[in-house]
Amino acid sequence: MDEIKLNLSKEVSPVLVVDAWIGPKEGQSYVQVFTSGAYVSGSADIGTVSVELVDVFLEREDGKKIPFKRQWDDKYYPQEEINPEEGESFRLIFQTIEGENFESSWEKFPPSVQVEDMEVNAIERLVLIPSQAGNLLQTRTFAEVNVEISDPGKGNLGYLSTSKGISELFTKSNFDNCLCTCYRNEPNLFKGMNFQLNENFEGRSYQKKIGEIPLSSFGRFYVETTLRVLNVFGSEYFEQVSIQQRNTGSIFDPAPFRIKGNIRKSNGGNEVVLGGLFLFQETRYTKMFSRSEIRRQSLSLNHYLEPLVSVAFSCDEYFTDASPFKPSPFLP
């Protein structure tokens, strides 16, 4: 087999990257500007450098300018409340310390969308189980978690969601005062970026998948999801990001491509600026599920139950990444 050596030079001209998010609540809005770096898979340092700004503000369509100030994390935060309303237009304007001026296009603030409910649907799936004889395919059951949303029917929107949870885990012991129940944080219930356009359900109710819960044990599972609604630019931008992330590397996948942002130099020109100004509405929804109840309602599936592990005094002897102390959602 021939060895192919790629010339992965790091002599790549950096370009400006803008990561600016404007939300309706305090603490959600910030602006961050940095330069790009050469990326090599497996490398932790891609050489990005924060860009210092001497002037940065958000301009509202009525002419009001909201200044931003740099904080310890190299991000710029608004110095007064923005209080954006649906349909209002904003643009970002900033100047780098080198004296270069940039501005975004005018962007409209999207409508808010509420999560109506959260439901689960039990399914079977083959998974790879490590063993001494090698990886084995076995059937396991999971609960797909879906949120019910009602699209407002006000044009093109995008839904970007993140989901996390807390899993209740059981052990057993011969010690009477054992802390045998643990609680483990599950930071990401959906592998990859969870984004969807509303083009197929505009103006009506829709169930959006936000993650999965394994059903191989009993105990409760607390789910928290955060849903961000993006305007037209944000929707188009993240749809292109989603396409790139779904590529599997086959010859039928589109080649990697640069995604057009909405930031440009104030005096014109063709300088490339990545990223953009993203306006969003946000809603949060939580719900507690009982895995034993989900299993009871799906007895036709081939459920597997993990055996209870014996511990001496506390469940975290076995579940080392969990805690025996109840988090607030599990308190009476």
Side-chain angles (χ1 to χ4, degrees):
M1 181 179 293
D2 293 334
E3 181 180 1
I4 300 175
K5 294 184 178 181
L6 300 178
N7 181 22
L8 299 176
S9 172
K10 288 197 173 183
E11 297 301 321
V12 178
S13 298
V15 297
L16 209 64
V17 183
V18 179
D19 180 35
W21 291 81
I22 306 300
K25 300 176 183 177
E26 185 177 354
Q28 292 181 329
S29 302
Y30 70 87
V31 174
Q32 185 177 24
V33 181
F34 51 94
T35 59
S36 64
Y39 172 75
V40 179
S41 180
S43 173
D45 181 15
I46 60 175
T48 59
V49 177
S50 179
V51 174
E52 186 176 350
L53 309 178
V54 295
D55 191 23
V56 54
F57 58 88
L58 189 71
E59 183 179 8
R60 201 166 60 191
E61 58 187 341
D62 61 3
K64 179 178 175 57
K65 295 180 179 180
I66 301 166
F68 282 56
K69 184 178 180 181
R70 189 178 190 178
Q71 302 295 331
W72 61 271
D73 57 359
D74 288 335
K75 293 180 180 179
Y76 293 76
Y77 294 93
Q79 297 304 288
E80 58 185 84
E81 291 187 8
I82 300 175
N83 296 322
E85 295 184 2
E86 177 186 336
E88 276 190 319
S89 292
F90 296 86
R91 69 172 175 172
L92 176 68
I93 300 176
F94 64 89
Q95 183 184 79
T96 66
I97 198 169
E98 291 82 12
E100 295 183 310
N101 296 290
F102 295 86
E103 62 184 44
S104 75
S105 58
W106 287 96
E107 299 292 341
K108 284 190 175 182
F109 205 71
S112 62
V113 176
Q114 299 301 314
V115 175
E116 307 295 339
D117 197 6
M118 188 184 294
E119 299 177 352
V120 293
N121 176 43
I123 60 169
E124 288 180 343
R125 190 172 69 243
L126 287 173
V127 296
L128 282 173
I129 306 297
S131 71
Q132 293 181 348
N135 292 333
L136 302 175
L137 277 174
Q138 293 186 5
T139 299
R140 291 289 187 269
T141 53
F142 299 84
E144 287 185 339
V145 186
N146 301 282
V147 291
E148 183 85 21
I149 55 178
S150 296
D151 186 85
K154 296 181 178 180
N156 296 338
L157 298 175
Y159 294 88
L160 180 65
S161 59
T162 57
S163 303
K164 59 183 179 179
I166 305 175
S167 178
E168 186 177 45
L169 306 167
F170 298 142
T171 59
K172 62 181 180 179
S173 173
N174 293 325
F175 179 61
D176 290 341
N177 295 323
C178 172
L179 296 173
C180 279
T181 303
C182 263
Y183 303 88
R184 181 170 62 200
N185 289 322
E186 305 289 350
N188 189 7
L189 302 184
F190 192 97
K191 305 306 179 186
M193 188 180 75
N194 192 352
F195 175 79
Q196 191 162 11
L197 293 173
N198 71 337
E199 58 185 4
N200 295 323
F201 56 91
E202 182 180 346
R204 58 186 178 85
S205 181
Y206 180 75
Q207 280 201 344
K208 174 177 169 57
K209 181 178 176 179
I210 60 167
E212 290 184 351
I213 300 171
L215 296 178
S216 55
S217 64
F218 294 127
R220 294 168 292 173
F221 201 107
Y222 173 79
V223 177
E224 175 184 322
T225 187
T226 300
L227 184 72
R228 285 192 171 185
V229 184
L230 303 176
N231 68 356
V232 175
F233 164 72
S235 300
E236 294 174 349
Y237 186 94
F238 277 94
E239 173 64 8
Q240 298 304 308
V241 173
S242 181
I243 290 172
Q244 293 209 9
Q245 289 198 350
R246 292 196 303 267
N247 286 354
T248 60
S250 78
I251 61 173
F252 302 104
D253 287 335
F257 52 88
R258 179 176 288 153
I259 301 172
K260 184 179 179 181
N262 60 357
I263 308 289
R264 64 183 183 276
K265 268 194 170 181
S266 299
N267 59 355
N270 297 318
E271 181 172 338
V272 174
V273 181
L274 303 180
L277 171 68
F278 302 97
L279 276 56
F280 69 94
Q281 294 273 13
E282 183 176 285
T283 185
R284 176 175 167 269
Y285 195 89
T286 64
K287 193 168 185 177
M288 184 76 76
F289 293 100
S290 167
R291 280 180 283 197
S292 58
E293 179 64 19
I294 298 171
R295 288 168 61 101
R296 188 188 67 80
Q297 294 179 358
S298 55
L299 296 177
S300 61
L301 300 185
N302 186 21
H303 290 289
Y304 168 83
L305 184 62
E306 296 175 358
L308 286 179
V309 176
S310 294
V311 297
F313 302 103
S314 176
C315 54
D316 58 2
E317 297 167 19
Y318 179 75
F319 296 112
T320 57
D321 56 348
S323 169
F325 304 105
K326 283 186 179 181
S328 56
F330 291 85
L331 295 174

